Amino acid sequence: SGEFGIRSAALTTSNCSAADGIGMSLVRLHEGTESQLLHLELDPFHIHKDRGAHRFDLDDVAVEAGDRVEYRVDPGHGGGNTACDWSYVRDLSFNSTTEHAGVD
């Protein structure tokens, strides 16, 4: 879980008029294979509700020894425009919910 967004300064900078937001992904890497666990997009330049911090949660993900979970940011909307993609993540946390079945 965590929160992400685009810094408010980007919304008021005149050089950011062509900006189109970002994409955010959580990706699991297991034995050389990538699996996208979550993908969200924000465009606070054009969609008012996309402004500010946005919480994300992801439950019930199996992560084994040697796996990695990566937080990634991309240009969003399938494009290549990275103008003013001043993103942030905060309060990022991973919690283990491992159960020990069969243990007396």
Side-chain angles (χ1 to χ4, degrees), residues 18-62:
D20 64 356
I22 62 164
M24 180 280 285
S25 299
L26 292 176
V27 177
R28 175 181 165 234
L29 290 91
H30 173 74
E31 296 179 351
T33 302
E34 292 187 1
S35 301
Q36 184 170 291
L37 304 172
L38 176 70
H39 182 80
L40 301 170
E41 297 203 0
L42 294 178
D43 183 1
F45 303 96
H46 301 101
I47 302 170
H48 190 23
K49 69 179 178 105
D50 283 357
R51 294 180 179 198
H54 293 268
R55 180 148 187 85
F56 60 90
D57 292 292
L58 186 64
D59 296 322
D60 300 323
V61 175

Side-chain angles (χ1 to χ4, degrees), residues 69-90:
V69 176
E70 294 183 353
Y71 174 87
R72 297 181 181 174
V73 177
D74 63 66
H77 308 288
N81 182 355
T82 58
C84 302
D85 286 355
W86 305 343
S87 66
Y88 63 88
V89 63
R90 65 181 180 207

